Amino acid sequence: MEILDVDRCHSVIRGLRFWLRRWRRCPLAYVIEHLGEVPTHQQAEILKAFESHNFVAVKSGHGIGKSKLMGWLVNWWLDTRGKKCPITGAGGDQLSDIVWPEVIDTNRRKWEWISRQYENTTEELRCIDRPESWKAVLRTVRMDNDDALQGFHDCMFFIDEGSGVRDGIFEVASGAMGDPGAFGFMAGNPTRLSGYMYRIFHQPTFWFTLSFSSEDTLSDREYEYSYVGPRGDIKTIVTRGRQTSSWIENMRKEYGENSNIYRVRVKGEFANVGSDMLVESRYLENVFLPVVAKEGQFTRRMGVDPAWTGDDDTGLVIREGDTILHVESWHGFDLVESFDRIKILFDEWRCDVIHVDTVGVGAGLYDMLNHAIYKGRIGYPVVRVMASEVAPKDKDAACKTLRDWLWWKCRQYFRLRSVRFSGRASDDGFKQLLAEL
């Protein structure tokens, strides 16, 4: 029988205590020493920020490594605090397909003994001995509910693509963010000129803010930063960036350095108010010129973005080819009332197909249309649109979610084609559509 070496066990415990205390204070050391990873200079600056700040928000261009960073920080929190951490964001598929695999993969790269203390499911990474109080939890945002961060206290909040997260989500969590031991990390592209993330970058709050450009993390350049080793020796880390020069150059040629798309997607800056937006105003100058297309040349499509009886409106657009035939919205309808209105408009405008956003309450509306009797058979011709899904591969647009890709296609639609609105500029529906664009 093997005899337990007590002195050796005490030595191991003392050593582990030293490392955990060190890593608790310094997440950069945790990533380098425990995970064996070498962060970029931008990632290192973010990790160092947690040595002095509990809440850190980052706006940036594409390609700085935000998802990998989130995987590191989730595991850092679990290993050095042993508490909960909810992870949420604007796109469900972005979380489950990109962020969550980084969290799980990071756990696999830890010291084997520590890694084996956890088990994972599709939505949780939890300590085997304390699964209820010591875990990371994936919480997808629901369009009909703001409870994604409800019920969490004394934890670390992780918010991916913060610009796209509704204010109601933050309002629910605001009380818990004031807990003495609470932490938070929010990151994303600055895609909106309103909302919680926009405000914390424009007024004093408890969030420490950082901004990074994709131009400053090029894969063909070397960057340096300092790192204090476990013996107190100061070392210089040399790394390369993550983004390619060719991608930067393509974005510059396609949009121009002064465009808002370049500002948001490359420089990581909010758009200039009054400058070009995703759909530039010059693309819309001729939309009220006379319609020349002949009826019946193209499929007549109805698009519906449903809402329930709350604060949002249900929006509906009918399009045939390059002609927007009808725009309408309504407020305060339940699903049955919206269902009845859609059926009337479908027949009145002789539409061929309905496209329904099935995130949240739209799933119920889709089911109602899919099972209703239409022309003697079951089901209207209805297409499910899940905007939070991963975007299709497109060589011209490297988008993360289907929502982003659809906005890109909308830009191209107005930019490259002769779009016409079949109505007057004074019509409320068309005025509202122009305001949304």
Side-chain angles (χ1 to χ4, degrees):
M1 182 177 66
E2 185 178 350
I3 299 175
L4 181 66
D5 188 336
V6 177
D7 290 338
R8 185 183 178 192
C9 287
H10 286 168
S11 176
V12 171
I13 292 171
R14 285 194 300 271
L16 184 59
R17 186 182 296 120
F18 165 81
W19 290 112
L20 290 177
R21 285 177 176 173
R22 169 172 167 75
W23 296 337
R24 180 186 176 98
R25 297 190 303 269
C26 181
L28 176 60
Y30 171 85
V31 172
I32 294 174
E33 297 161 4
H34 184 32
L35 302 180
E37 299 273 9
V38 180
T40 67
H41 64 298
Q42 293 177 334
Q43 291 171 328
E45 186 173 345
I46 297 168
L47 291 168
K48 287 181 178 180
F50 282 102
E51 297 177 16
S52 306
H53 306 277
N54 286 22
F55 287 82
V56 177
V58 176
K59 63 178 176 66
S60 71
H62 285 303
I64 76 158
K66 298 185 291 293
S67 298
K68 181 172 284 292
L69 187 68
M70 198 163 287
W72 292 342
L73 284 169
V74 167
N75 281 274
W76 168 72
W77 178 260
L78 292 175
D79 290 345
T80 63
R81 300 306 197 282
K83 299 177 181 180
K84 293 181 181 179
C85 56
I87 308 166
T88 193
D93 287 341
Q94 162 79 6
L95 291 175
S96 59
D97 295 345
I98 299 176
V99 175
W100 191 245
E102 289 288 356
V103 173
I104 302 304
D105 185 59
T106 297
N107 181 59
R108 295 193 183 105
R109 293 198 304 276
K110 294 189 287 194
W111 291 357
E112 184 180 357
W113 181 84
I114 294 179
S115 178
R116 285 192 284 108
Q117 306 310 306
Y118 297 93
E119 61 181 6
N120 67 275
T121 68
T122 56
E123 294 184 342
E124 291 187 359
L125 176 64
R126 58 201 178 206
C127 178
I128 296 172
D129 291 337
R130 287 165 48 194
E132 294 304 316
S133 60
W134 186 342
K135 61 182 177 180
V137 185
L138 196 64
R139 298 297 297 268
T140 303
V141 171
R142 293 165 50 195
M143 295 301 292
D144 59 337
N145 204 318
D146 291 333
D147 65 355
L149 300 179
Q150 180 73 45
F152 290 95
H153 292 275
D154 192 24
C155 63
M156 184 167 183
F157 296 94
F158 289 89
I159 301 103
D160 182 53
E161 297 301 338
S163 275
V165 177
R166 298 192 308 277
D167 281 8
I169 303 294
F170 294 102
E171 291 168 6
V172 169
S174 60
M177 287 182 178
D179 293 344
F183 276 63
F185 176 58
M186 175 165 53
N189 300 123
T191 56
R192 292 177 57 206
L193 295 177
S194 61
Y196 186 85
M197 184 171 176
Y198 179 81
R199 290 195 297 275
I200 68 172
F201 277 90
H202 290 85
Q203 61 190 41
T205 70
F206 57 87
W207 287 86
F208 178 70
T209 58
L210 292 167
S211 300
F212 296 103
S213 170
S214 305
E215 297 172 324
D216 298 326
T217 181
L218 300 178
S219 58
D220 56 0
R221 285 188 55 188
E222 290 185 342
Y223 304 87
E224 296 181 356
Y225 61 89
S226 62
Y227 151 71
V228 180
R231 299 179 182 274
D233 50 323
I234 300 177
K235 302 179 179 181
T236 298
I237 304 292
V238 179
T239 66
R240 291 185 179 273
R242 293 176 53 91
Q243 188 57 271
T244 65
S245 298
S246 60
W247 182 82
I248 301 288
E249 185 60 26
N250 288 338
M251 293 292 287
R252 184 180 291 115
K253 289 180 179 178
E254 177 74 17
Y255 305 107
E257 289 188 69
N258 296 322
S259 69
N260 273 326
I261 290 182
Y262 193 90
R263 283 180 60 83
V264 173
R265 303 297 181 183
V266 179
K267 292 185 175 181
E269 299 292 344
F270 288 100
N272 285 323
V273 178
S275 183
D276 61 295
M277 303 304 289
L278 187 65
V279 180
E280 299 179 30
S281 57
R282 60 193 176 96
Y283 303 160
L284 305 171
E285 292 174 351
N286 298 322
V287 294
F288 288 107
L289 292 179
V291 176
V292 296
K294 295 181 180 180
E295 185 176 326
Q297 283 186 319
F298 302 97
T299 300
R300 185 165 291 190
R301 304 179 183 277
M302 173 188 288
V304 183
D305 182 10
W308 199 42
T309 56
D311 296 331
D312 294 333
D313 291 345
T314 292
L316 180 147
V317 174
I318 298 173
R319 174 179 73 87
E320 182 177 337
D322 292 343
T323 304
I324 309 297
L325 299 171
H326 181 70
V327 180
E328 185 174 325
S329 65
W330 53 83
H331 184 82
F333 282 25
D334 60 26
L335 286 184
V336 174
E337 293 171 309
S338 291
F339 172 68
D340 290 339
R341 181 60 183 157
I342 289 167
K343 288 194 300 181
I344 292 171
L345 291 171
F346 188 85
D347 291 336
E348 179 182 333
W349 285 93
R350 301 188 302 280
C351 297
D352 299 307
V353 64
I354 310 172
H355 299 262
V356 179
D357 183 350
T358 54
V359 175
V361 298
L365 182 61
Y366 170 83
D367 287 340
M368 293 170 71
L369 289 164
N370 204 32
H371 291 88
I373 301 298
Y374 173 68
K375 291 186 176 180
R377 64 177 185 270
I378 297 177
Y380 276 73
V382 58
V383 176
R384 168 185 172 274
V385 180
M386 194 70 174
S388 61
E389 289 182 344
V390 175
K393 291 184 178 180
D394 188 333
K395 62 181 179 64
D396 296 322
C399 300
K400 291 183 178 180
T401 66
L402 180 60
R403 179 184 291 106
D404 292 340
W405 184 78
L406 289 172
W407 271 109
W408 166 260
K409 299 300 286 187
C410 178
R411 168 190 166 84
Q412 297 299 80
Y413 175 66
F414 281 97
R415 175 174 173 252
L416 302 176
R417 296 165 69 169
S418 301
V419 180
R420 298 289 184 266
F421 288 0
S422 182
R424 299 183 299 275
S426 58
D427 292 344
D428 289 339
F430 288 114
K431 285 166 59 177
Q432 184 174 356
L433 178 59
L434 287 173
E436 292 287 341
L437 295 173

